[in-house]
Amino acid sequence: ERVAYGDTATIRCHVNPNSQEGAVMAKMTMRLFCPVTKESTFCFENCKPQEDCDPYTGACHVIPALQGVSCRTIKQASGEIIHEYTVMHVSPAWLGEGGFKCASAAEVTKPVKFTLEERKKEIKTTEKTTTPKTTSSSTKSTTTTTTTTTTTAKPTPKAVIIS
């Protein structure tokens, strides 16, 4: 999946409980593995983000990169369960090795990786110079107004569906 820095990206893990293995998976925990943690460590367990804990003090905190991720669980009328993770601002950490994988029961999906998409920034500069009229008793003055408008391609929410 191609993303640009600053994009909003959504990763979805789907479980269809209408099959025999899906019924087992629906009763189990869904784990999302992602590039901001070690490959063997999940980022989310259902909608609970992974925490780092200090072995000496026992104090725990959510891994910083996961603080900008929202999660929700959707149960469709068909019985399908979707765990939806939304990364609010894609940063270099989200393009790391390993990609995204969903795991439930003994099933693990193939990894899906983000790749960087460069977007051109359009910079438009307008300059206006105004010279007021002068009279013989006044001094000449010049006013310059510079307006710079930067337009970046609007981030399009990306959806990565991992079934």
Side-chain angles (χ1 to χ4, degrees), residues 59-116:
C60 297
H61 64 277
V62 173
I63 294 171
L66 300 179
Q67 291 175 350
V69 179
S70 65
C71 176
R72 66 184 184 142
T73 301
I74 305 161
K75 293 185 181 180
Q76 303 282 5
S78 64
E80 182 179 31
I81 301 166
I82 303 167
H83 297 276
E84 183 178 86
Y85 308 91
T86 302
V87 178
M88 297 307 189
H89 300 282
V90 173
S91 66
W94 291 101
L95 278 72
E97 293 297 317
F100 297 87
K101 296 183 280 189
C102 300
S104 183
E107 297 290 319
V108 179
T109 60
K110 291 181 181 177
V112 174
K113 293 182 180 181
F114 285 164
T115 55
L116 186 61

Short mmCIF file of all heavy atoms in Angstrom, two decimals, residues 59-116:
data_model
loop_
_atom_site.label_atom_id
_atom_site.label_comp_id
_atom_site.label_asym_id
_atom_site.label_seq_id
_atom_site.Cartn_x
_atom_site.Cartn_y
_atom_site.Cartn_z
N ALA A 59 6.32 0.26 36.08
CA ALA A 59 5.50 1.30 35.44
C ALA A 59 5.37 1.00 33.95
O ALA A 59 6.34 0.65 33.29
CB ALA A 59 6.14 2.67 35.64
N CYS A 60 4.16 1.12 33.45
CA CYS A 60 3.90 0.83 32.05
C CYS A 60 3.32 2.05 31.34
O CYS A 60 2.64 2.86 31.96
CB CYS A 60 2.90 -0.31 31.94
SG CYS A 60 3.48 -1.88 32.63
N HIS A 61 3.61 2.16 30.05
CA HIS A 61 3.05 3.22 29.22
C HIS A 61 2.87 2.70 27.80
O HIS A 61 3.60 1.81 27.36
CB HIS A 61 3.95 4.47 29.24
CG HIS A 61 5.29 4.25 28.63
ND1 HIS A 61 6.34 3.69 29.32
CD2 HIS A 61 5.74 4.46 27.37
CE1 HIS A 61 7.40 3.58 28.52
NE2 HIS A 61 7.05 4.05 27.34
N VAL A 62 1.90 3.25 27.11
CA VAL A 62 1.64 2.85 25.73
C VAL A 62 2.83 3.26 24.88
O VAL A 62 3.39 4.34 25.05
CB VAL A 62 0.34 3.53 25.20
CG1 VAL A 62 0.15 3.27 23.71
CG2 VAL A 62 -0.87 3.04 25.98
N ILE A 63 3.23 2.38 23.98
CA ILE A 63 4.33 2.68 23.06
C ILE A 63 3.98 3.98 22.33
O ILE A 63 2.87 4.10 21.78
CB ILE A 63 4.53 1.51 22.07
CG1 ILE A 63 5.01 0.28 22.85
CG2 ILE A 63 5.49 1.88 20.96
CD1 ILE A 63 5.03 -0.99 22.03
N PRO A 64 4.87 4.98 22.35
CA PRO A 64 4.55 6.31 21.79
C PRO A 64 3.93 6.30 20.40
O PRO A 64 2.97 7.03 20.14
CB PRO A 64 5.88 7.04 21.82
CG PRO A 64 6.62 6.41 22.96
CD PRO A 64 6.22 4.95 22.93
N ALA A 65 4.44 5.49 19.48
CA ALA A 65 3.90 5.49 18.11
C ALA A 65 2.45 5.03 18.07
O ALA A 65 1.70 5.38 17.15
CB ALA A 65 4.75 4.60 17.21
N LEU A 66 2.03 4.25 19.06
CA LEU A 66 0.65 3.74 19.07
C LEU A 66 -0.34 4.73 19.67
O LEU A 66 -1.55 4.53 19.57
CB LEU A 66 0.59 2.42 19.85
CG LEU A 66 1.46 1.29 19.29
CD1 LEU A 66 1.32 0.05 20.15
CD2 LEU A 66 1.10 0.99 17.84
N GLN A 67 0.16 5.79 20.27
CA GLN A 67 -0.74 6.78 20.87
C GLN A 67 -1.54 7.53 19.81
O GLN A 67 -2.61 8.03 20.10
CB GLN A 67 0.05 7.77 21.73
CG GLN A 67 0.59 7.11 22.98
CD GLN A 67 1.48 8.03 23.80
OE1 GLN A 67 1.85 9.12 23.36
NE2 GLN A 67 1.83 7.59 24.98
N GLY A 68 -1.06 7.58 18.59
CA GLY A 68 -1.78 8.25 17.51
C GLY A 68 -2.61 7.30 16.67
O GLY A 68 -2.91 7.58 15.52
N VAL A 69 -3.00 6.17 17.25
CA VAL A 69 -3.79 5.18 16.53
C VAL A 69 -5.11 4.97 17.26
O VAL A 69 -5.13 4.78 18.47
CB VAL A 69 -3.04 3.82 16.44
CG1 VAL A 69 -3.88 2.78 15.71
CG2 VAL A 69 -1.69 3.99 15.76
N SER A 70 -6.20 5.05 16.51
CA SER A 70 -7.50 4.75 17.12
C SER A 70 -7.93 3.37 16.66
O SER A 70 -7.48 2.88 15.62
CB SER A 70 -8.54 5.80 16.72
OG SER A 70 -8.78 5.75 15.34
N CYS A 71 -8.78 2.75 17.45
CA CYS A 71 -9.23 1.41 17.12
C CYS A 71 -10.70 1.27 17.44
O CYS A 71 -11.20 1.87 18.39
CB CYS A 71 -8.43 0.39 17.94
SG CYS A 71 -9.00 -1.31 17.68
N ARG A 72 -11.38 0.49 16.62
CA ARG A 72 -12.76 0.13 16.93
C ARG A 72 -13.04 -1.26 16.39
O ARG A 72 -12.38 -1.72 15.45
CB ARG A 72 -13.74 1.15 16.37
CG ARG A 72 -13.79 1.21 14.87
CD ARG A 72 -14.72 2.32 14.40
NE ARG A 72 -14.83 2.30 12.95
CZ ARG A 72 -15.94 2.54 12.29
NH1 ARG A 72 -17.04 2.84 12.94
NH2 ARG A 72 -15.96 2.52 10.97
N THR A 73 -13.99 -1.94 17.03
CA THR A 73 -14.40 -3.26 16.59
C THR A 73 -15.81 -3.12 16.03
O THR A 73 -16.69 -2.54 16.67
CB THR A 73 -14.39 -4.25 17.77
OG1 THR A 73 -13.06 -4.31 18.29
CG2 THR A 73 -14.80 -5.64 17.32
N ILE A 74 -16.00 -3.63 14.83
CA ILE A 74 -17.29 -3.54 14.14
C ILE A 74 -17.83 -4.96 13.97
O ILE A 74 -17.12 -5.84 13.48
CB ILE A 74 -17.10 -2.89 12.74
CG1 ILE A 74 -16.42 -1.53 12.88
CG2 ILE A 74 -18.43 -2.79 12.01
CD1 ILE A 74 -15.80 -1.03 11.59
N LYS A 75 -19.07 -5.14 14.38
CA LYS A 75 -19.73 -6.44 14.16
C LYS A 75 -20.82 -6.23 13.12
O LYS A 75 -21.77 -5.49 13.34
CB LYS A 75 -20.32 -6.97 15.47
CG LYS A 75 -19.22 -7.32 16.46
CD LYS A 75 -19.75 -7.95 17.70
CE LYS A 75 -18.56 -8.23 18.63
NZ LYS A 75 -18.95 -8.84 19.86
N GLN A 76 -20.63 -6.86 11.96
CA GLN A 76 -21.57 -6.73 10.85
C GLN A 76 -22.81 -7.60 11.10
O GLN A 76 -22.75 -8.58 11.85
CB GLN A 76 -20.91 -7.17 9.54
CG GLN A 76 -19.65 -6.42 9.19
CD GLN A 76 -19.95 -5.04 8.62
OE1 GLN A 76 -21.08 -4.58 8.55
NE2 GLN A 76 -18.90 -4.36 8.22
N ALA A 77 -23.90 -7.28 10.44
CA ALA A 77 -25.13 -8.08 10.54
C ALA A 77 -24.88 -9.52 10.08
O ALA A 77 -25.50 -10.46 10.57
CB ALA A 77 -26.25 -7.44 9.73
N SER A 78 -23.93 -9.68 9.15
CA SER A 78 -23.60 -11.02 8.63
C SER A 78 -22.82 -11.86 9.64
O SER A 78 -22.60 -13.04 9.42
CB SER A 78 -22.76 -10.88 7.36
OG SER A 78 -21.52 -10.26 7.68
N GLY A 79 -22.39 -11.24 10.74
CA GLY A 79 -21.59 -11.93 11.75
C GLY A 79 -20.11 -11.64 11.63
O GLY A 79 -19.34 -11.94 12.53
N GLU A 80 -19.70 -11.04 10.51
CA GLU A 80 -18.29 -10.71 10.32
C GLU A 80 -17.83 -9.71 11.38
O GLU A 80 -18.55 -8.78 11.72
CB GLU A 80 -18.07 -10.12 8.93
CG GLU A 80 -16.63 -9.79 8.64
CD GLU A 80 -16.43 -9.22 7.25
OE1 GLU A 80 -17.34 -8.55 6.73
OE2 GLU A 80 -15.35 -9.46 6.68
N ILE A 81 -16.64 -9.93 11.91
CA ILE A 81 -16.05 -9.04 12.91
C ILE A 81 -14.87 -8.34 12.26
O ILE A 81 -14.01 -8.98 11.66
CB ILE A 81 -15.59 -9.82 14.15
CG1 ILE A 81 -16.78 -10.55 14.78
CG2 ILE A 81 -14.93 -8.89 15.16
CD1 ILE A 81 -16.40 -11.59 15.79
N ILE A 82 -14.84 -7.01 12.39
CA ILE A 82 -13.76 -6.22 11.80
C ILE A 82 -13.10 -5.42 12.92
O ILE A 82 -13.77 -4.71 13.65
CB ILE A 82 -14.28 -5.25 10.72
CG1 ILE A 82 -15.03 -6.03 9.63
CG2 ILE A 82 -13.14 -4.43 10.14
CD1 ILE A 82 -15.84 -5.15 8.71
N HIS A 83 -11.80 -5.58 13.03
CA HIS A 83 -11.01 -4.75 13.94
C HIS A 83 -10.35 -3.70 13.05
O HIS A 83 -9.58 -4.04 12.15
CB HIS A 83 -9.96 -5.58 14.69
CG HIS A 83 -10.57 -6.61 15.57
ND1 HIS A 83 -11.00 -6.34 16.84
CD2 HIS A 83 -10.84 -7.91 15.36
CE1 HIS A 83 -11.50 -7.42 17.39
NE2 HIS A 83 -11.42 -8.40 16.50
N GLU A 84 -10.69 -2.44 13.29
CA GLU A 84 -10.23 -1.35 12.44
C GLU A 84 -9.27 -0.45 13.22
O GLU A 84 -9.63 0.08 14.26
CB GLU A 84 -11.44 -0.55 11.97
CG GLU A 84 -11.10 0.57 11.02
CD GLU A 84 -12.34 1.29 10.56
OE1 GLU A 84 -12.80 2.22 11.26
OE2 GLU A 84 -12.86 0.91 9.49
N TYR A 85 -8.05 -0.31 12.70
CA TYR A 85 -7.00 0.48 13.33
C TYR A 85 -6.68 1.65 12.41
O TYR A 85 -6.33 1.45 11.25
CB TYR A 85 -5.75 -0.37 13.55
CG TYR A 85 -6.05 -1.66 14.28
CD1 TYR A 85 -6.36 -2.83 13.59
CD2 TYR A 85 -6.05 -1.71 15.67
CE1 TYR A 85 -6.65 -4.00 14.26
CE2 TYR A 85 -6.34 -2.89 16.35
CZ TYR A 85 -6.64 -4.03 15.63
OH TYR A 85 -6.94 -5.19 16.31
N THR A 86 -6.80 2.89 12.90
CA THR A 86 -6.55 4.07 12.08
C THR A 86 -5.32 4.80 12.58
O THR A 86 -5.29 5.29 13.71
CB THR A 86 -7.77 5.01 12.07
OG1 THR A 86 -8.90 4.26 11.58
CG2 THR A 86 -7.53 6.20 11.16
N VAL A 87 -4.29 4.85 11.74
CA VAL A 87 -3.06 5.59 12.03
C VAL A 87 -3.32 7.01 11.56
O VAL A 87 -3.54 7.24 10.37
CB VAL A 87 -1.85 4.98 11.26
CG1 VAL A 87 -0.59 5.78 11.53
CG2 VAL A 87 -1.67 3.51 11.62
N MET A 88 -3.34 7.96 12.49
CA MET A 88 -3.72 9.33 12.16
C MET A 88 -2.69 10.05 11.28
O MET A 88 -3.05 10.82 10.41
CB MET A 88 -3.95 10.16 13.43
CG MET A 88 -5.09 9.64 14.26
SD MET A 88 -6.57 9.49 13.25
CE MET A 88 -7.76 9.15 14.47
N HIS A 89 -1.39 9.81 11.51
CA HIS A 89 -0.34 10.46 10.73
C HIS A 89 0.77 9.45 10.46
O HIS A 89 1.53 9.11 11.36
CB HIS A 89 0.25 11.67 11.47
CG HIS A 89 -0.77 12.72 11.77
ND1 HIS A 89 -1.21 13.60 10.81
CD2 HIS A 89 -1.45 13.02 12.89
CE1 HIS A 89 -2.12 14.39 11.34
NE2 HIS A 89 -2.29 14.06 12.60
N VAL A 90 0.86 8.99 9.23
CA VAL A 90 1.91 8.04 8.87
C VAL A 90 3.26 8.74 8.99
O VAL A 90 3.45 9.84 8.48
CB VAL A 90 1.69 7.48 7.46
CG1 VAL A 90 2.87 6.63 7.02
CG2 VAL A 90 0.40 6.69 7.38
N SER A 91 4.19 8.09 9.70
CA SER A 91 5.55 8.61 9.87
C SER A 91 6.52 7.53 9.41
O SER A 91 6.10 6.41 9.11
CB SER A 91 5.78 8.96 11.34
OG SER A 91 5.76 7.77 12.12
N PRO A 92 7.82 7.82 9.37
CA PRO A 92 8.79 6.81 8.92
C PRO A 92 8.71 5.50 9.71
O PRO A 92 8.95 4.43 9.14
CB PRO A 92 10.14 7.50 9.13
CG PRO A 92 9.84 8.96 8.96
CD PRO A 92 8.47 9.13 9.58
N ALA A 93 8.36 5.55 10.97
CA ALA A 93 8.28 4.34 11.79
C ALA A 93 7.27 3.33 11.23
O ALA A 93 7.44 2.12 11.39
CB ALA A 93 7.91 4.69 13.23
N TRP A 94 6.24 3.81 10.57
CA TRP A 94 5.20 2.92 10.04
C TRP A 94 5.61 2.25 8.73
O TRP A 94 4.89 1.39 8.24
CB TRP A 94 3.90 3.70 9.85
CG TRP A 94 3.31 4.10 11.16
CD1 TRP A 94 3.39 5.33 11.76
CD2 TRP A 94 2.61 3.27 12.08
NE1 TRP A 94 2.77 5.29 12.98
CE2 TRP A 94 2.29 4.05 13.21
CE3 TRP A 94 2.23 1.92 12.07
CZ2 TRP A 94 1.59 3.53 14.30
CZ3 TRP A 94 1.54 1.41 13.16
CH2 TRP A 94 1.23 2.22 14.25
N LEU A 95 6.76 2.65 8.17
CA LEU A 95 7.23 2.04 6.94
C LEU A 95 8.31 1.00 7.19
O LEU A 95 8.96 0.53 6.27
CB LEU A 95 7.76 3.12 5.99
CG LEU A 95 6.70 3.84 5.17
CD1 LEU A 95 5.86 4.77 5.99
CD2 LEU A 95 7.33 4.57 4.03
N GLY A 96 8.51 0.63 8.44
CA GLY A 96 9.57 -0.30 8.82
C GLY A 96 9.36 -1.71 8.31
O GLY A 96 8.38 -2.03 7.64
N GLU A 97 10.29 -2.57 8.66
CA GLU A 97 10.27 -3.97 8.24
C GLU A 97 9.09 -4.71 8.89
O GLU A 97 8.58 -4.31 9.91
CB GLU A 97 11.58 -4.66 8.64
CG GLU A 97 12.79 -4.15 7.89
CD GLU A 97 12.72 -4.39 6.40
OE1 GLU A 97 12.31 -5.49 5.98
OE2 GLU A 97 13.05 -3.46 5.65
N GLY A 98 8.72 -5.81 8.28
CA GLY A 98 7.71 -6.67 8.87
C GLY A 98 6.29 -6.41 8.38
O GLY A 98 5.50 -7.31 8.23
N GLY A 99 5.95 -5.16 8.16
CA GLY A 99 4.61 -4.84 7.69
C GLY A 99 3.55 -5.08 8.74
O GLY A 99 3.83 -5.17 9.94
N PHE A 100 2.31 -5.21 8.28
CA PHE A 100 1.15 -5.42 9.14
C PHE A 100 0.65 -6.84 8.96
O PHE A 100 0.50 -7.31 7.83
CB PHE A 100 0.03 -4.45 8.79
CG PHE A 100 0.39 -3.01 9.01
CD1 PHE A 100 1.03 -2.29 8.02
CD2 PHE A 100 0.11 -2.39 10.20
CE1 PHE A 100 1.37 -0.96 8.22
CE2 PHE A 100 0.45 -1.06 10.42
CZ PHE A 100 1.08 -0.35 9.42
N LYS A 101 0.36 -7.52 10.06
CA LYS A 101 -0.21 -8.86 10.02
C LYS A 101 -1.29 -8.96 11.08
O LYS A 101 -1.15 -8.40 12.17
CB LYS A 101 0.85 -9.93 10.32
CG LYS A 101 1.96 -10.02 9.31
CD LYS A 101 2.93 -11.13 9.64
CE LYS A 101 3.88 -10.65 10.72
NZ LYS A 101 4.98 -11.55 10.99
N CYS A 102 -2.34 -9.70 10.76
CA CYS A 102 -3.40 -9.99 11.73
C CYS A 102 -3.25 -11.44 12.16
O CYS A 102 -2.96 -12.31 11.33
CB CYS A 102 -4.77 -9.80 11.09
SG CYS A 102 -5.05 -8.13 10.48
N ALA A 103 -3.45 -11.69 13.45
CA ALA A 103 -3.32 -13.05 13.96
C ALA A 103 -4.45 -13.32 14.94
O ALA A 103 -4.72 -12.52 15.84
CB ALA A 103 -1.97 -13.24 14.66
N SER A 104 -5.11 -14.44 14.75
CA SER A 104 -6.16 -14.88 15.65
C SER A 104 -6.16 -16.40 15.63
O SER A 104 -6.08 -17.01 14.57
CB SER A 104 -7.52 -14.34 15.19
OG SER A 104 -8.53 -14.71 16.11
N ALA A 105 -6.24 -17.00 16.83
CA ALA A 105 -6.12 -18.45 16.98
C ALA A 105 -4.79 -18.86 16.34
O ALA A 105 -3.77 -18.25 16.62
CB ALA A 105 -7.32 -19.17 16.40
N ALA A 106 -4.79 -19.81 15.44
CA ALA A 106 -3.55 -20.26 14.81
C ALA A 106 -3.36 -19.64 13.43
O ALA A 106 -2.43 -19.98 12.71
CB ALA A 106 -3.54 -21.78 14.71
N GLU A 107 -4.25 -18.73 13.04
CA GLU A 107 -4.19 -18.12 11.71
C GLU A 107 -3.44 -16.79 11.75
O GLU A 107 -3.69 -15.95 12.60
CB GLU A 107 -5.60 -17.87 11.19
CG GLU A 107 -6.43 -19.11 11.00
CD GLU A 107 -5.95 -19.96 9.84
OE1 GLU A 107 -5.59 -19.39 8.79
OE2 GLU A 107 -5.93 -21.19 10.00
N VAL A 108 -2.51 -16.62 10.80
CA VAL A 108 -1.77 -15.36 10.66
C VAL A 108 -1.81 -14.99 9.18
O VAL A 108 -1.55 -15.82 8.32
CB VAL A 108 -0.30 -15.51 11.13
CG1 VAL A 108 0.46 -14.19 10.94
CG2 VAL A 108 -0.22 -15.95 12.56
N THR A 109 -2.13 -13.74 8.90
CA THR A 109 -2.19 -13.29 7.51
C THR A 109 -0.78 -13.00 6.99
O THR A 109 0.16 -12.83 7.76
CB THR A 109 -3.04 -12.01 7.39
OG1 THR A 109 -2.43 -10.98 8.18
CG2 THR A 109 -4.46 -12.25 7.85
N LYS A 110 -0.68 -12.91 5.68
CA LYS A 110 0.59 -12.50 5.06
C LYS A 110 0.79 -11.03 5.37
O LYS A 110 -0.17 -10.26 5.46
CB LYS A 110 0.54 -12.71 3.55
CG LYS A 110 0.52 -14.15 3.15
CD LYS A 110 0.49 -14.28 1.63
CE LYS A 110 0.45 -15.76 1.24
NZ LYS A 110 0.34 -15.92 -0.21
N PRO A 111 2.05 -10.59 5.52
CA PRO A 111 2.29 -9.17 5.84
C PRO A 111 1.93 -8.25 4.67
O PRO A 111 2.11 -8.59 3.51
CB PRO A 111 3.78 -9.10 6.15
CG PRO A 111 4.37 -10.36 5.63
CD PRO A 111 3.28 -11.36 5.47
N VAL A 112 1.42 -7.08 5.04
CA VAL A 112 1.14 -6.01 4.09
C VAL A 112 2.01 -4.84 4.52
O VAL A 112 2.00 -4.45 5.68
CB VAL A 112 -0.35 -5.60 4.12
CG1 VAL A 112 -0.60 -4.38 3.25
CG2 VAL A 112 -1.22 -6.76 3.69
N LYS A 113 2.80 -4.29 3.58
CA LYS A 113 3.73 -3.21 3.92
C LYS A 113 3.30 -1.90 3.29
O LYS A 113 2.76 -1.88 2.20
CB LYS A 113 5.14 -3.55 3.44
CG LYS A 113 5.76 -4.71 4.17
CD LYS A 113 7.17 -4.95 3.68
CE LYS A 113 7.79 -6.12 4.41
NZ LYS A 113 9.16 -6.36 3.99
N PHE A 114 3.59 -0.82 4.01
CA PHE A 114 3.43 0.52 3.45
C PHE A 114 4.71 0.85 2.70
O PHE A 114 5.80 0.55 3.16
CB PHE A 114 3.26 1.57 4.55
CG PHE A 114 1.91 1.59 5.23
CD1 PHE A 114 1.76 2.26 6.42
CD2 PHE A 114 0.81 0.97 4.68
CE1 PHE A 114 0.53 2.31 7.06
CE2 PHE A 114 -0.43 1.02 5.31
CZ PHE A 114 -0.56 1.69 6.50
N THR A 115 4.55 1.49 1.54
CA THR A 115 5.70 2.02 0.83
C THR A 115 5.47 3.52 0.64
O THR A 115 4.32 3.97 0.53
CB THR A 115 5.91 1.34 -0.54
OG1 THR A 115 4.71 1.45 -1.30
CG2 THR A 115 6.29 -0.11 -0.39
N LEU A 116 6.54 4.26 0.62
CA LEU A 116 6.46 5.71 0.57
C LEU A 116 6.10 6.20 -0.81
O LEU A 116 6.68 5.80 -1.81
CB LEU A 116 7.79 6.33 1.01
CG LEU A 116 7.80 7.85 1.15
CD1 LEU A 116 6.80 8.32 2.20
CD2 LEU A 116 9.19 8.31 1.54
#
